[in-house]
mmCIF file of all heavy atoms in Angstrom:
data_model
loop_
_atom_site.group_PDB
_atom_site.id
_atom_site.type_symbol
_atom_site.label_atom_id
_atom_site.label_comp_id
_atom_site.label_asym_id
_atom_site.label_seq_id
_atom_site.Cartn_x
_atom_site.Cartn_y
_atom_site.Cartn_z
ATOM 1 N N VAL A 57 78.019 104.578 86.590
ATOM 2 C CA VAL A 57 77.126 103.493 86.881
ATOM 3 C C VAL A 57 75.769 103.765 86.169
ATOM 4 O O VAL A 57 75.237 104.887 86.324
ATOM 5 C CB VAL A 57 76.862 103.348 88.472
ATOM 6 C CG1 VAL A 57 75.742 102.354 88.740
ATOM 7 C CG2 VAL A 57 78.163 102.914 89.091
ATOM 8 N N LYS A 58 75.300 102.833 85.434
ATOM 9 C CA LYS A 58 74.048 103.008 84.751
ATOM 10 C C LYS A 58 72.874 102.427 85.532
ATOM 11 O O LYS A 58 72.967 101.368 86.156
ATOM 12 C CB LYS A 58 74.088 102.308 83.398
ATOM 13 C CG LYS A 58 75.297 102.730 82.491
ATOM 14 C CD LYS A 58 75.080 104.177 81.989
ATOM 15 C CE LYS A 58 76.168 104.576 81.036
ATOM 16 N NZ LYS A 58 76.873 105.763 81.357
ATOM 17 N N ILE A 59 71.760 103.065 85.382
ATOM 18 C CA ILE A 59 70.604 102.631 86.201
ATOM 19 C C ILE A 59 69.998 101.403 85.676
ATOM 20 O O ILE A 59 69.638 100.462 86.372
ATOM 21 C CB ILE A 59 69.497 103.801 86.133
ATOM 22 C CG1 ILE A 59 70.035 105.038 86.720
ATOM 23 C CG2 ILE A 59 68.230 103.277 86.867
ATOM 24 C CD1 ILE A 59 70.525 104.921 88.175
ATOM 25 N N ARG A 60 69.935 101.205 84.297
ATOM 26 C CA ARG A 60 69.363 100.002 83.727
ATOM 27 C C ARG A 60 69.998 98.673 84.227
ATOM 28 O O ARG A 60 69.317 97.796 84.714
ATOM 29 C CB ARG A 60 69.493 100.086 82.198
ATOM 30 C CG ARG A 60 68.359 100.008 81.279
ATOM 31 C CD ARG A 60 67.086 99.725 81.712
ATOM 32 N NE ARG A 60 66.149 100.793 81.321
ATOM 33 C CZ ARG A 60 65.028 101.053 81.963
ATOM 34 N NH1 ARG A 60 64.557 100.303 82.863
ATOM 35 N NH2 ARG A 60 64.333 102.058 81.585
ATOM 36 N N PRO A 61 71.377 98.588 84.108
ATOM 37 C CA PRO A 61 71.975 97.338 84.570
ATOM 38 C C PRO A 61 71.688 97.124 86.149
ATOM 39 O O PRO A 61 71.662 95.984 86.572
ATOM 40 C CB PRO A 61 73.446 97.565 84.285
ATOM 41 C CG PRO A 61 73.495 98.552 83.212
ATOM 42 C CD PRO A 61 72.294 99.413 83.407
ATOM 43 N N LEU A 62 71.592 98.244 86.880
ATOM 44 C CA LEU A 62 71.374 98.114 88.234
ATOM 45 C C LEU A 62 70.075 97.405 88.539
ATOM 46 O O LEU A 62 69.951 96.670 89.497
ATOM 47 C CB LEU A 62 71.283 99.522 88.836
ATOM 48 C CG LEU A 62 72.241 99.841 89.991
ATOM 49 C CD1 LEU A 62 72.335 101.296 90.226
ATOM 50 C CD2 LEU A 62 71.839 99.145 91.212
ATOM 51 N N LEU A 63 69.053 97.623 87.706
ATOM 52 C CA LEU A 63 67.765 97.027 87.896
ATOM 53 C C LEU A 63 67.796 95.515 87.527
ATOM 54 O O LEU A 63 66.887 94.758 88.095
ATOM 55 C CB LEU A 63 66.687 97.682 87.065
ATOM 56 C CG LEU A 63 66.390 99.141 87.448
ATOM 57 C CD1 LEU A 63 65.445 99.769 86.384
ATOM 58 C CD2 LEU A 63 65.761 99.195 88.802
ATOM 59 N N ASN A 64 68.669 95.062 86.698
ATOM 60 C CA ASN A 64 68.614 93.688 86.230
ATOM 61 C C ASN A 64 69.648 92.780 86.937
ATOM 62 O O ASN A 64 69.681 91.675 86.622
ATOM 63 C CB ASN A 64 68.970 93.716 84.711
ATOM 64 C CG ASN A 64 67.858 94.406 83.917
ATOM 65 O OD1 ASN A 64 66.698 94.409 84.302
ATOM 66 N ND2 ASN A 64 68.284 94.999 82.877
ATOM 67 N N SER A 65 70.288 93.347 87.969
ATOM 68 C CA SER A 65 71.243 92.462 88.694
ATOM 69 C C SER A 65 71.282 92.927 90.125
ATOM 70 O O SER A 65 70.613 93.875 90.566
ATOM 71 C CB SER A 65 72.667 92.616 88.063
ATOM 72 O OG SER A 65 73.092 93.963 88.136
ATOM 73 N N ARG A 66 72.119 92.248 90.872
ATOM 74 C CA ARG A 66 72.238 92.600 92.300
ATOM 75 C C ARG A 66 72.847 94.009 92.403
ATOM 76 O O ARG A 66 73.526 94.465 91.511
ATOM 77 C CB ARG A 66 73.011 91.630 93.087
ATOM 78 C CG ARG A 66 74.503 91.545 92.821
ATOM 79 C CD ARG A 66 75.183 90.541 93.637
ATOM 80 N NE ARG A 66 76.599 90.737 93.548
ATOM 81 C CZ ARG A 66 77.447 90.312 94.439
ATOM 82 N NH1 ARG A 66 77.082 89.601 95.394
ATOM 83 N NH2 ARG A 66 78.741 90.563 94.261
ATOM 84 N N LEU A 67 72.651 94.602 93.536
ATOM 85 C CA LEU A 67 73.167 95.903 93.732
ATOM 86 C C LEU A 67 74.694 95.881 93.834
ATOM 87 O O LEU A 67 75.227 94.919 94.293
ATOM 88 C CB LEU A 67 72.573 96.619 95.030
ATOM 89 C CG LEU A 67 71.083 96.765 94.997
ATOM 90 C CD1 LEU A 67 70.647 97.132 96.433
ATOM 91 C CD2 LEU A 67 70.752 97.905 94.057
ATOM 92 N N PRO A 68 75.365 96.993 93.406
ATOM 93 C CA PRO A 68 76.863 96.976 93.537
ATOM 94 C C PRO A 68 77.252 96.947 94.974
ATOM 95 O O PRO A 68 76.507 97.316 95.901
ATOM 96 C CB PRO A 68 77.258 98.384 92.975
ATOM 97 C CG PRO A 68 76.074 98.802 92.227
ATOM 98 C CD PRO A 68 74.889 98.180 92.821
ATOM 99 N N ARG A 69 78.403 96.287 95.257
ATOM 100 C CA ARG A 69 78.952 96.188 96.610
ATOM 101 C C ARG A 69 80.086 97.229 96.790
ATOM 102 O O ARG A 69 80.851 97.443 95.799
ATOM 103 C CB ARG A 69 79.465 94.772 96.925
ATOM 104 C CG ARG A 69 78.477 93.657 96.681
ATOM 105 C CD ARG A 69 77.313 93.800 97.631
ATOM 106 N NE ARG A 69 76.622 92.500 97.775
ATOM 107 C CZ ARG A 69 75.378 92.285 97.214
ATOM 108 N NH1 ARG A 69 74.775 93.288 96.619
ATOM 109 N NH2 ARG A 69 74.767 91.205 97.437
ATOM 110 N N VAL A 70 80.188 97.766 97.958
ATOM 111 C CA VAL A 70 81.281 98.718 98.193
ATOM 112 C C VAL A 70 82.066 98.167 99.445
ATOM 113 O O VAL A 70 81.412 97.932 100.553
ATOM 114 C CB VAL A 70 80.777 100.166 98.521
ATOM 115 C CG1 VAL A 70 81.914 101.067 98.917
ATOM 116 C CG2 VAL A 70 80.021 100.687 97.336
ATOM 117 N N LEU A 71 83.345 97.974 99.342
ATOM 118 C CA LEU A 71 84.185 97.536 100.428
ATOM 119 C C LEU A 71 85.229 98.545 100.772
ATOM 120 O O LEU A 71 85.988 98.941 99.867
ATOM 121 C CB LEU A 71 84.825 96.191 100.070
ATOM 122 C CG LEU A 71 85.909 95.684 101.089
ATOM 123 C CD1 LEU A 71 85.285 95.411 102.441
ATOM 124 C CD2 LEU A 71 86.596 94.430 100.526
ATOM 125 N N ASP A 72 85.180 99.101 101.930
ATOM 126 C CA ASP A 72 86.227 100.030 102.383
ATOM 127 C C ASP A 72 87.143 99.268 103.388
ATOM 128 O O ASP A 72 86.717 98.970 104.527
ATOM 129 C CB ASP A 72 85.643 101.192 103.031
ATOM 130 C CG ASP A 72 86.642 102.348 103.415
ATOM 131 O OD1 ASP A 72 87.835 102.003 103.382
ATOM 132 O OD2 ASP A 72 86.216 103.425 103.720
ATOM 133 N N PRO A 73 88.340 98.905 103.013
ATOM 134 C CA PRO A 73 89.243 98.112 103.804
ATOM 135 C C PRO A 73 89.786 98.891 105.016
ATOM 136 O O PRO A 73 90.433 98.268 105.900
ATOM 137 C CB PRO A 73 90.373 97.672 102.895
ATOM 138 C CG PRO A 73 90.404 98.735 101.832
ATOM 139 C CD PRO A 73 88.950 99.173 101.689
ATOM 140 N N THR A 74 89.655 100.227 105.022
ATOM 141 C CA THR A 74 90.134 101.022 106.194
ATOM 142 C C THR A 74 89.004 102.048 106.469
ATOM 143 O O THR A 74 89.206 103.292 106.340
ATOM 144 C CB THR A 74 91.423 101.743 105.847
ATOM 145 O OG1 THR A 74 91.299 102.488 104.678
ATOM 146 C CG2 THR A 74 92.610 100.722 105.676
ATOM 147 N N CYS A 75 87.857 101.621 106.918
ATOM 148 C CA CYS A 75 86.647 102.451 106.893
ATOM 149 C C CYS A 75 86.579 103.479 107.975
ATOM 150 O O CYS A 75 85.806 104.430 107.867
ATOM 151 C CB CYS A 75 85.372 101.569 106.866
ATOM 152 S SG CYS A 75 85.111 100.618 108.393
ATOM 153 N N GLY A 76 87.306 103.279 109.059
ATOM 154 C CA GLY A 76 87.272 104.265 110.155
ATOM 155 C C GLY A 76 85.863 104.443 110.566
ATOM 156 O O GLY A 76 85.099 103.494 110.765
ATOM 157 N N SER A 77 85.455 105.730 110.676
ATOM 158 C CA SER A 77 84.102 105.982 111.185
ATOM 159 C C SER A 77 83.051 105.965 110.009
ATOM 160 O O SER A 77 81.889 106.225 110.248
ATOM 161 C CB SER A 77 84.003 107.361 111.869
ATOM 162 O OG SER A 77 84.436 108.398 111.072
ATOM 163 N N GLY A 78 83.553 105.699 108.794
ATOM 164 C CA GLY A 78 82.607 105.411 107.741
ATOM 165 C C GLY A 78 82.327 106.515 106.712
ATOM 166 O O GLY A 78 81.322 106.403 105.945
ATOM 167 N N ASN A 79 83.148 107.494 106.581
ATOM 168 C CA ASN A 79 82.825 108.590 105.674
ATOM 169 C C ASN A 79 82.692 108.133 104.201
ATOM 170 O O ASN A 79 81.791 108.530 103.521
ATOM 171 C CB ASN A 79 83.921 109.749 105.721
ATOM 172 C CG ASN A 79 83.720 110.532 107.024
ATOM 173 O OD1 ASN A 79 82.780 110.393 107.711
ATOM 174 N ND2 ASN A 79 84.708 111.427 107.233
ATOM 175 N N PHE A 80 83.586 107.220 103.758
ATOM 176 C CA PHE A 80 83.412 106.731 102.418
ATOM 177 C C PHE A 80 82.139 105.898 102.243
ATOM 178 O O PHE A 80 81.480 105.909 101.224
ATOM 179 C CB PHE A 80 84.672 105.935 101.930
ATOM 180 C CG PHE A 80 85.776 106.795 101.414
ATOM 181 C CD1 PHE A 80 86.821 107.141 102.176
ATOM 182 C CD2 PHE A 80 85.729 107.286 100.079
ATOM 183 C CE1 PHE A 80 87.845 107.943 101.718
ATOM 184 C CE2 PHE A 80 86.720 108.114 99.635
ATOM 185 C CZ PHE A 80 87.804 108.404 100.437
ATOM 186 N N LEU A 81 81.865 105.071 103.278
ATOM 187 C CA LEU A 81 80.708 104.193 103.205
ATOM 188 C C LEU A 81 79.390 105.084 103.227
ATOM 189 O O LEU A 81 78.425 104.744 102.599
ATOM 190 C CB LEU A 81 80.746 103.202 104.309
ATOM 191 C CG LEU A 81 81.757 102.111 104.203
ATOM 192 C CD1 LEU A 81 81.853 101.248 105.406
ATOM 193 C CD2 LEU A 81 81.676 101.302 102.939
ATOM 194 N N ILE A 82 79.431 106.141 104.058
ATOM 195 C CA ILE A 82 78.242 107.039 104.067
ATOM 196 C C ILE A 82 78.087 107.707 102.707
ATOM 197 O O ILE A 82 76.902 107.728 102.228
ATOM 198 C CB ILE A 82 78.474 108.102 105.233
ATOM 199 C CG1 ILE A 82 78.407 107.428 106.589
ATOM 200 C CG2 ILE A 82 77.442 109.193 105.068
ATOM 201 C CD1 ILE A 82 78.921 108.232 107.691
ATOM 202 N N ALA A 83 79.130 108.165 102.136
ATOM 203 C CA ALA A 83 79.052 108.790 100.812
ATOM 204 C C ALA A 83 78.536 107.814 99.793
ATOM 205 O O ALA A 83 77.697 108.114 98.956
ATOM 206 C CB ALA A 83 80.359 109.387 100.414
ATOM 207 N N ALA A 84 79.010 106.580 99.904
ATOM 208 C CA ALA A 84 78.608 105.510 98.927
ATOM 209 C C ALA A 84 77.122 105.167 99.142
ATOM 210 O O ALA A 84 76.363 104.966 98.169
ATOM 211 C CB ALA A 84 79.468 104.244 99.065
ATOM 212 N N ALA A 85 76.706 105.098 100.370
ATOM 213 C CA ALA A 85 75.299 104.785 100.704
ATOM 214 C C ALA A 85 74.368 105.844 100.099
ATOM 215 O O ALA A 85 73.371 105.512 99.395
ATOM 216 C CB ALA A 85 75.108 104.701 102.212
ATOM 217 N N LEU A 86 74.731 107.100 100.265
ATOM 218 C CA LEU A 86 73.891 108.206 99.698
ATOM 219 C C LEU A 86 73.913 108.175 98.228
ATOM 220 O O LEU A 86 72.871 108.381 97.547
ATOM 221 C CB LEU A 86 74.371 109.485 100.265
ATOM 222 C CG LEU A 86 74.172 109.655 101.801
ATOM 223 C CD1 LEU A 86 74.869 110.918 102.315
ATOM 224 C CD2 LEU A 86 72.682 109.735 102.178
ATOM 225 N N CYS A 87 75.038 107.989 97.606
ATOM 226 C CA CYS A 87 75.134 107.905 96.154
ATOM 227 C C CYS A 87 74.364 106.771 95.567
ATOM 228 O O CYS A 87 73.560 106.946 94.601
ATOM 229 C CB CYS A 87 76.614 107.821 95.836
ATOM 230 S SG CYS A 87 76.978 108.145 94.098
ATOM 231 N N LEU A 88 74.488 105.565 96.063
ATOM 232 C CA LEU A 88 73.802 104.430 95.559
ATOM 233 C C LEU A 88 72.245 104.575 95.801
ATOM 234 O O LEU A 88 71.490 104.197 94.974
ATOM 235 C CB LEU A 88 74.302 103.165 96.220
ATOM 236 C CG LEU A 88 75.604 102.555 95.685
ATOM 237 C CD1 LEU A 88 76.069 101.378 96.480
ATOM 238 C CD2 LEU A 88 75.428 102.181 94.218
#
Side-chain angles (χ1 to χ4, degrees):
V57 172
K58 304 290 184 233
I59 302 301
R60 238 352 122 201
L62 235 164
L63 291 173
N64 297 328
S65 63
R66 74 181 190 157
L67 296 171
R69 305 295 198 250
V70 176
L71 171 63
D72 185 346
T74 56
C75 67
S77 60
N79 285 352
F80 276 100
L81 293 175
I82 291 163
L86 294 170
C87 192
L88 283 172

